[in-house]
Amino acid sequence: MILEVDGVEFSYDSAPILKGVTFEVRKGEMVAILGPNGAGKSTLLKCINGILKPKGGVVMVEGLPGESYGSHEMAKKMGYVPQINAGNFTTVFDAVLLGRKPYIRWGPSEKDLRLVEETLKLVGLESLALKRTNNLSGGELQKVVVARALVQEPRILLLDEFTNNLDLKNQLEAMRIVSKITHEREVASIVVMHDINLALRYSDKFVVMANGAIHAKGGREIIEPRLIEEVYGIEVLIGNLGGVPLVVPVE
Ligand code: ADP
Ligand code: MG
């Protein structure tokens, strides 16, 4: 098991935010974390990658507690794309090269530069390599951040609402890229998403959170109208369109 989240508890102040969160991810698996605003999804990702220290429980990364890794070692294991990304003033190429930082000693190697080029191509940014990141659209910037996480060559990829700024075509493309990398390179991916349909289409497993706890977890079969109603408080129908499950709210 590449990642085991075992009984993780967290609070920012006195109010408990995460309550005994437990789930596992295997390599080559894409897990979607769903749940309403404020459920604790972003907090959970930060506890997984060590930005926040859990108040209870443990996160095991490749069999060892996350705390036992140094920050450079952790950066080689986990690529993290945060929910909100402020632009800065470097070129797209340099912004992505920054993801190689945990590997670079005296200056980027041929391999570092080649990886950045390949990754820019993979996410469709090669023509923007020399553009400054402060001049990018929200969607382009989002791809830069994804590319930066990918050049880290992580074993675990954590993506927090990374499709939010993207138009429909780019949402599908971004999910396809992550799904391809997950399966081909045997990465373990955790994606926090609001779009249940996009999640259903690409993810292998689902963790549904509500009020800081896991309400349900499992395969596609757990995404049922009753669960959606319990967690989001809306009535839905779940159909099937050309083999793709489709969740539709009932008005
Ligand atoms: P989600 O990503 O599911 O929307 P978050 O993990 O961002 O949820 O937030 C979970 C809860 O923790 C919310 O009630 C939020 O207000 C609170 N919270 C988030 N960040 C902080 C913080 N830095 N300080 C205090 N409370 C926070
Ligand atoms: Mg969030």
Side-chain angles (χ1 to χ4, degrees), residues 12-13 17 35-44 46 83 160-161 192 194:
Y12 290 99
D13 40 48
I17 299 291
N37 290 323
K41 305 179 298 296
S42 295
T43 304
L44 176 61
K46 289 178 195 161
Q83 187 170 345
D160 199 348
E161 299 192 22
V192 169
H194 277 305

Side-chain angles (χ1 to χ4, degrees), residues 83-99:
Q83 187 170 345
I84 299 161
N85 327 292
N88 51 21
F89 302 108
T90 63
T91 64
V92 166
F93 193 94
D94 285 344
V96 174
L97 183 61
L98 213 56

